[in-house]
Amino acid sequence: MSAPTAAPDILSPEFAADPYSAYRVMRDDHPLIWHEPTQSYVISRYADVVRAFKDPLFTSRNYDWQLEPVHGRTILQMDGREHSTHRNLVAPAFRGRDLAEKFVPVIERNSAELIEAFAADGEVDLVAQYATRFPINVIVDMLGLPKSDHEHFHRWYTSIMGFLSNLSGDETVMADGIRTKGEFEDYMVPIIAARRENPGDDLLSTLCTAEIDGERMTDHEIKAFCSLLLTAGGETTDKAIASVMSNLVAHPDQLAAVRADHSLIPAAFAETLRHSPPVHMIMRQPAEDVELSGGTVEAGRTVTCLIGAANRDPEQYERPDEFDIARPDLDQGRAYTAGANHTAFALGRHFCVGALLARTELETAVAHLLDAMDDIAFADGAPPPEHGVFTRAPSQLRLTFTPTT
């Protein structure tokens, strides 16, 4: 009999280089791991991760220490009526008429401007020249803030994401994230006060004037939401664009199908969310002792939910390590809802409020890129490696192409 495989360490260089192999070992042999350096239980099976997202027994109290130092208090830290009220204050801007009429033109304009800068070159690093800039430009435009401040926003969101993904507790990274919170607050609060006095047609004005049963968001709640939007909407969309395009170029037949029929773009995005999600870990905290695969998690302990592992669980998906936009066991009809059968947007009451915005940005990005670029290939002849542990995607995506005009 062979010796049992040791439990992988999510902070090890081996894990960072290839988390998917580690995920297989975790699901098979170590579905519940106490990880001393992060003081958390690590879970990896689809059923357990789904339960942690959906079961009201699991709270988001971990966000009090995880998010509040850099964002302030956001809707992610709220529960019950408070959470419902604040979610209803912000959600209308990210769906329906507001999204279609106000912000789709903003999304399309920002995408076209970035592509125009490299469309005739025949080569591009899609991460540096498009993916990292597009979602931030969109958010800044939506909020009605000056795009000339783009570099400030990029630095702030990079700093905050560094803080949030700082699993090893690097004190320099922590201090930089906390300093960023102060800088962002100093920048945003006077602008919020001015929008209250003279609202416009932008998202920030909508947040300043939104009201339910006489209740409005405070200046600091609006600032915290903008900070959350900047990082969650910027980082995840940035990485999703890089991963979708890398996955498609790596599978020429599927790239050709999407090029011929742009209505397949949502399927390509949904399969990327399952196969190579931009966020690989989200934390939760049970209010009571709870039984999961492999044992008991005590009340108040942090649980690190491995999205990247759950989304490749062979108990849930056939051929889970293969990228297939026609995958029959991924529910396309619910892929961008709280009832999705992948875990990339979380599930239940804390399902990502910006999921439809992300879908709209991805649909626009991929359609525009494929319309501008033909004969797309990897400049180095092979797909680039992914980087990151908390969030993950190629850090470069060097492509060659034939300009279409």
Side-chain angles (χ1 to χ4, degrees), residues 356-400:
L356 290 182
L357 173 64
R359 172 179 169 166
T360 304
E361 289 181 307
L362 260 291
E363 285 188 39
T364 301
V366 175
H368 282 191
L369 290 166
L370 295 186
D371 285 347
M373 304 160 63
D374 206 353
D375 304 318
I376 306 173
F378 295 114
D380 299 322
E386 294 179 346
H387 291 278
V389 174
F390 187 81
T391 59
R392 188 171 179 86
S395 59
Q396 290 184 317
L397 183 53
R398 296 178 57 248
L399 301 173
T400 60

Side-chain angles (χ1 to χ4, degrees), residues 28-59:
D28 291 347
D29 301 330
H30 304 282
L32 184 68
I33 301 169
W34 172 251
H35 188 248
E36 187 69 25
T38 59
Q39 289 291 292
S40 73
Y41 283 100
V42 181
I43 61 174
S44 50
R45 290 181 179 173
Y46 179 88
D48 291 329
V49 171
V50 167
R51 183 180 178 193
F53 288 158
K54 286 187 170 182
D55 191 333
L57 184 66
F58 285 85
T59 74

Side-chain angles (χ1 to χ4, degrees), residues 180-394:
T180 292
K181 179 192 176 187
E183 291 179 7
F184 189 69
E185 188 169 302
D186 290 343
Y187 177 91
M188 285 299 304
V189 170
I191 297 175
I192 292 167
R195 296 293 164 87
R196 287 200 192 278
E197 290 293 321
N198 296 288
D201 197 34
D202 53 80
L203 175 59
L204 186 55
S205 297
T206 299
L207 297 174
C208 288
T209 56
E211 184 175 322
I212 293 179
D213 297 330
E215 186 168 340
R216 291 186 175 189
M217 297 172 72
T218 68
D219 289 0
H220 284 275
E221 286 171 342
I222 293 171
K223 185 275 303 179
F225 182 78
C226 292
S227 177
L228 181 66
L229 178 63
L230 182 68
T231 51
E235 175 82 358
T236 55
T237 307
D238 166 356
K239 286 181 161 45
I241 291 168
S243 293
V244 168
M245 290 300 294
S246 183
N247 286 337
L248 287 175
V249 177
H251 298 84
D253 56 332
Q254 298 185 57
L255 174 62
V258 174
R259 182 184 294 283
D261 182 359
H262 284 186
S263 71
L264 294 175
I265 295 173
F269 181 26
E271 174 64 348
T272 294
L273 290 172
R274 185 205 66 81
H275 176 270
S276 33
V279 178
H280 274 233
M281 303 177 184
I282 290 180
M283 296 178 180
R284 289 291 185 265
Q285 190 171 301
E288 303 172 9
D289 290 0
V290 60
E291 290 292 325
L292 295 172
S293 300
T296 302
V297 174
E298 302 87 0
R301 290 291 195 180
T302 299
V303 178
T304 298
C305 308
L306 295 181
I307 290 171
N311 281 356
R312 294 200 186 190
D313 190 335
E315 293 296 315
Q316 178 66 21
Y317 309 102
E318 293 186 10
R319 303 170 288 106
D321 294 323
E322 294 182 21
F323 179 82
D324 179 7
I325 64 172
R327 173 175 295 280
D329 49 14
L330 183 62
D331 188 342
Q332 292 291 340
R334 297 189 298 163
Y336 302 97
T337 73
N341 71 333
H342 65 80
T343 62
F345 283 132
L347 297 164
R349 65 196 183 283
H350 283 293
F351 174 77
C352 176
V353 71
L356 290 182
L357 173 64
R359 172 179 169 166
T360 304
E361 289 181 307
L362 260 291
E363 285 188 39
T364 301
V366 175
H368 282 191
L369 290 166
L370 295 186
D371 285 347
M373 304 160 63
D374 206 353
D375 304 318
I376 306 173
F378 295 114
D380 299 322
E386 294 179 346
H387 291 278
V389 174
F390 187 81
T391 59
R392 188 171 179 86

Side-chain angles (χ1 to χ4, degrees), residues 27-256:
R27 287 189 307 261
D28 291 347
D29 301 330
H30 304 282
L32 184 68
I33 301 169
W34 172 251
H35 188 248
E36 187 69 25
T38 59
Q39 289 291 292
S40 73
Y41 283 100
V42 181
I43 61 174
S44 50
R45 290 181 179 173
Y46 179 88
D48 291 329
V49 171
V50 167
R51 183 180 178 193
F53 288 158
K54 286 187 170 182
D55 191 333
L57 184 66
F58 285 85
T59 74
S60 57
R61 293 267 60 90
N62 53 286
Y63 287 141
D64 290 349
W65 57 264
Q66 191 178 9
L67 299 185
E68 195 147 349
V70 284
H71 286 313
R73 195 159 186 269
T74 74
I75 59 173
L76 294 180
Q77 289 113 287
M78 300 174 186
D79 286 306
R81 182 183 178 279
E82 182 186 31
H83 174 262
S84 298
T85 299
H86 281 74
R87 189 179 179 94
N88 288 335
L89 284 168
V90 303
F94 297 95
R95 62 178 184 235
R97 189 177 65 184
D98 272 6
L99 179 59
E101 294 182 1
K102 286 187 180 180
F103 302 129
V104 166
V106 172
I107 292 167
E108 292 178 340
R109 181 177 67 250
N110 278 283
S111 175
E113 288 174 355
L114 289 170
I115 291 173
E116 185 180 6
F118 64 78
D121 295 346
E123 59 181 89
V124 63
D125 177 357
L126 204 65
V127 172
Q129 293 172 254
Y130 184 88
T132 59
R133 305 188 74 85
F134 173 51
I136 299 179
N137 285 0
V138 167
I139 291 168
V140 169
D141 247 7
M142 288 174 64
L143 291 170
L145 301 173
K147 287 173 71 172
S148 58
D149 289 335
H150 176 278
E151 296 308 323
H152 292 304
F153 288 107
H154 190 274
R155 177 170 56 83
W156 288 334
Y157 111 73
T158 301
S159 172
I160 293 171
M161 281 309 305
F163 181 97
L164 298 179
S165 58
N166 183 28
L167 298 176
S168 63
D170 185 304
E171 292 184 1
T172 302
V173 173
M174 293 172 66
D176 185 57
I178 292 169
R179 182 170 57 252
T180 292
K181 179 192 176 187
E183 291 179 7
F184 189 69
E185 188 169 302
D186 290 343
Y187 177 91
M188 285 299 304
V189 170
I191 297 175
I192 292 167
R195 296 293 164 87
R196 287 200 192 278
E197 290 293 321
N198 296 288
D201 197 34
D202 53 80
L203 175 59
L204 186 55
S205 297
T206 299
L207 297 174
C208 288
T209 56
E211 184 175 322
I212 293 179
D213 297 330
E215 186 168 340
R216 291 186 175 189
M217 297 172 72
T218 68
D219 289 0
H220 284 275
E221 286 171 342
I222 293 171
K223 185 275 303 179
F225 182 78
C226 292
S227 177
L228 181 66
L229 178 63
L230 182 68
T231 51
E235 175 82 358
T236 55
T237 307
D238 166 356
K239 286 181 161 45
I241 291 168
S243 293
V244 168
M245 290 300 294
S246 183
N247 286 337
L248 287 175
V249 177
H251 298 84
D253 56 332
Q254 298 185 57
L255 174 62

